[in-house]
Short mmCIF file of all heavy atoms in Angstrom, two decimals:
data_model
loop_
_atom_site.label_atom_id
_atom_site.label_comp_id
_atom_site.label_asym_id
_atom_site.label_seq_id
_atom_site.Cartn_x
_atom_site.Cartn_y
_atom_site.Cartn_z
N TRP A 20 259.73 177.25 79.74
CA TRP A 20 259.71 178.53 80.48
C TRP A 20 258.26 178.99 80.66
O TRP A 20 257.87 179.44 81.75
CB TRP A 20 260.51 179.61 79.72
CG TRP A 20 260.51 180.91 80.48
CD1 TRP A 20 261.43 181.33 81.39
CD2 TRP A 20 259.51 181.96 80.41
NE1 TRP A 20 261.09 182.55 81.91
CE2 TRP A 20 259.91 182.96 81.33
CE3 TRP A 20 258.35 182.14 79.68
CZ2 TRP A 20 259.17 184.14 81.51
CZ3 TRP A 20 257.61 183.30 79.88
CH2 TRP A 20 258.02 184.29 80.79
N ASN A 24 256.53 179.49 84.16
CA ASN A 24 256.06 180.85 84.48
C ASN A 24 254.58 180.84 84.85
O ASN A 24 254.15 181.53 85.79
CB ASN A 24 256.30 181.78 83.28
CG ASN A 24 256.17 183.25 83.67
OD1 ASN A 24 256.74 183.66 84.69
ND2 ASN A 24 255.43 184.01 82.88
N ARG A 27 254.26 179.51 88.28
CA ARG A 27 254.73 180.52 89.26
C ARG A 27 253.61 181.54 89.52
O ARG A 27 253.28 181.82 90.67
CB ARG A 27 255.97 181.22 88.69
CG ARG A 27 256.64 182.21 89.62
CD ARG A 27 258.02 182.56 89.08
NE ARG A 27 257.93 183.29 87.82
CZ ARG A 27 258.05 184.62 87.70
NH1 ARG A 27 258.25 185.34 88.78
NH2 ARG A 27 257.98 185.21 86.52
N PHE A 28 253.03 182.07 88.45
CA PHE A 28 251.91 183.02 88.60
C PHE A 28 250.76 182.37 89.38
O PHE A 28 250.17 182.98 90.28
CB PHE A 28 251.37 183.45 87.23
CG PHE A 28 252.27 184.40 86.47
CD1 PHE A 28 252.00 184.70 85.14
CD2 PHE A 28 253.38 184.99 87.07
CE1 PHE A 28 252.81 185.57 84.43
CE2 PHE A 28 254.20 185.86 86.36
CZ PHE A 28 253.91 186.16 85.04
N GLY A 91 253.00 200.20 89.34
CA GLY A 91 253.62 199.70 88.10
C GLY A 91 253.33 198.23 87.84
O GLY A 91 254.20 197.49 87.38
N LEU A 93 250.79 197.02 85.86
CA LEU A 93 250.21 196.72 84.55
C LEU A 93 251.29 196.23 83.59
O LEU A 93 252.39 196.78 83.54
CB LEU A 93 249.50 197.97 84.00
CG LEU A 93 248.61 197.73 82.79
CD1 LEU A 93 247.48 196.74 83.10
CD2 LEU A 93 248.03 199.04 82.27
N TYR A 94 250.95 195.18 82.84
CA TYR A 94 251.87 194.53 81.90
C TYR A 94 253.13 194.06 82.61
O TYR A 94 254.25 194.13 82.06
CB TYR A 94 252.20 195.45 80.73
CG TYR A 94 250.95 195.89 79.98
CD1 TYR A 94 250.73 197.22 79.66
CD2 TYR A 94 249.99 194.95 79.62
CE1 TYR A 94 249.57 197.62 79.00
CE2 TYR A 94 248.83 195.33 78.97
CZ TYR A 94 248.62 196.66 78.66
OH TYR A 94 247.47 197.04 78.03
N ALA A 95 252.96 193.63 83.83
CA ALA A 95 254.06 193.08 84.60
C ALA A 95 253.54 191.83 85.32
O ALA A 95 252.32 191.67 85.50
CB ALA A 95 254.56 194.11 85.62
N PRO A 96 254.43 190.95 85.77
CA PRO A 96 253.96 189.73 86.47
C PRO A 96 253.03 190.05 87.64
O PRO A 96 252.06 189.33 87.86
CB PRO A 96 255.27 189.10 86.95
CG PRO A 96 256.27 189.52 85.94
CD PRO A 96 255.88 190.92 85.56
N GLY A 97 253.32 191.12 88.36
CA GLY A 97 252.48 191.49 89.51
C GLY A 97 251.05 191.75 89.12
O GLY A 97 250.11 191.43 89.88
N VAL A 99 249.40 190.35 86.54
CA VAL A 99 248.75 189.06 86.25
C VAL A 99 248.38 188.37 87.56
O VAL A 99 247.26 187.88 87.73
CB VAL A 99 249.69 188.14 85.42
CG1 VAL A 99 249.01 186.81 85.15
CG2 VAL A 99 250.09 188.82 84.12
N GLY A 174 248.65 191.25 81.66
CA GLY A 174 250.07 190.90 81.43
C GLY A 174 250.56 191.33 80.07
O GLY A 174 251.75 191.54 79.87
N ASN A 176 250.77 189.55 77.48
CA ASN A 176 251.36 188.43 76.73
C ASN A 176 252.77 188.75 76.24
O ASN A 176 253.09 188.53 75.06
CB ASN A 176 250.42 188.06 75.57
CG ASN A 176 250.70 186.66 75.03
OD1 ASN A 176 251.36 185.85 75.68
ND2 ASN A 176 250.22 186.40 73.83
N ILE A 177 253.59 189.28 77.12
CA ILE A 177 254.95 189.68 76.72
C ILE A 177 255.91 188.49 76.84
O ILE A 177 256.00 187.89 77.92
CB ILE A 177 255.44 190.85 77.60
CG1 ILE A 177 254.47 192.04 77.49
CG2 ILE A 177 256.85 191.25 77.23
CD1 ILE A 177 254.68 193.12 78.54
N ARG A 178 256.56 188.21 75.74
CA ARG A 178 257.44 187.04 75.67
C ARG A 178 258.55 187.13 76.72
O ARG A 178 259.11 188.18 76.93
CB ARG A 178 258.03 186.96 74.26
CG ARG A 178 258.67 185.66 73.93
CD ARG A 178 259.22 185.72 72.53
NE ARG A 178 259.78 184.45 72.13
CZ ARG A 178 260.57 184.30 71.09
NH1 ARG A 178 260.89 185.34 70.34
NH2 ARG A 178 261.05 183.11 70.79
N TRP A 179 258.85 186.01 77.34
CA TRP A 179 259.87 185.90 78.40
C TRP A 179 259.59 186.81 79.60
O TRP A 179 260.48 187.11 80.38
CB TRP A 179 261.28 186.21 77.89
CG TRP A 179 261.74 185.37 76.74
CD1 TRP A 179 261.93 185.80 75.47
CD2 TRP A 179 262.04 183.97 76.77
NE1 TRP A 179 262.33 184.76 74.67
CE2 TRP A 179 262.41 183.61 75.45
CE3 TRP A 179 262.02 182.98 77.73
CZ2 TRP A 179 262.77 182.32 75.10
CZ3 TRP A 179 262.39 181.70 77.38
CH2 TRP A 179 262.75 181.39 76.08
N TYR A 180 258.35 187.26 79.74
CA TYR A 180 258.07 188.15 80.86
C TYR A 180 256.71 187.84 81.51
O TYR A 180 256.66 187.44 82.67
CB TYR A 180 258.12 189.60 80.38
CG TYR A 180 258.07 190.64 81.49
CD1 TYR A 180 258.89 190.53 82.61
CD2 TYR A 180 257.23 191.74 81.41
CE1 TYR A 180 258.85 191.49 83.62
CE2 TYR A 180 257.19 192.71 82.41
CZ TYR A 180 258.00 192.58 83.52
OH TYR A 180 257.96 193.51 84.51
N THR A 181 255.64 188.01 80.74
CA THR A 181 254.31 187.79 81.33
C THR A 181 253.52 186.71 80.57
O THR A 181 252.34 186.51 80.85
CB THR A 181 253.47 189.08 81.33
OG1 THR A 181 253.35 189.53 79.98
CG2 THR A 181 254.07 190.15 82.20
N ARG A 182 254.17 186.05 79.67
CA ARG A 182 253.45 185.08 78.85
C ARG A 182 253.10 183.84 79.68
O ARG A 182 253.90 183.37 80.47
CB ARG A 182 254.31 184.70 77.65
CG ARG A 182 253.57 183.92 76.59
CD ARG A 182 254.31 183.96 75.27
NE ARG A 182 254.12 185.26 74.60
CZ ARG A 182 254.59 185.55 73.39
NH1 ARG A 182 255.32 184.65 72.72
NH2 ARG A 182 254.38 186.72 72.85
N THR A 183 251.88 183.36 79.49
CA THR A 183 251.46 182.14 80.19
C THR A 183 251.05 181.09 79.16
O THR A 183 251.01 181.39 77.95
CB THR A 183 250.25 182.42 81.11
OG1 THR A 183 249.14 182.77 80.29
CG2 THR A 183 250.55 183.53 82.11
#
Side-chain angles (χ1 to χ4, degrees):
Chain A
W20 181 91
N24 195 46
R27 185 166 67 99
F28 287 170
L93 192 60
Y94 302 132
V99 179
N176 198 17
I177 302 167
R178 194 180 184 195
W179 303 111
Y180 190 48
T181 58
R182 192 161 283 183
T183 66

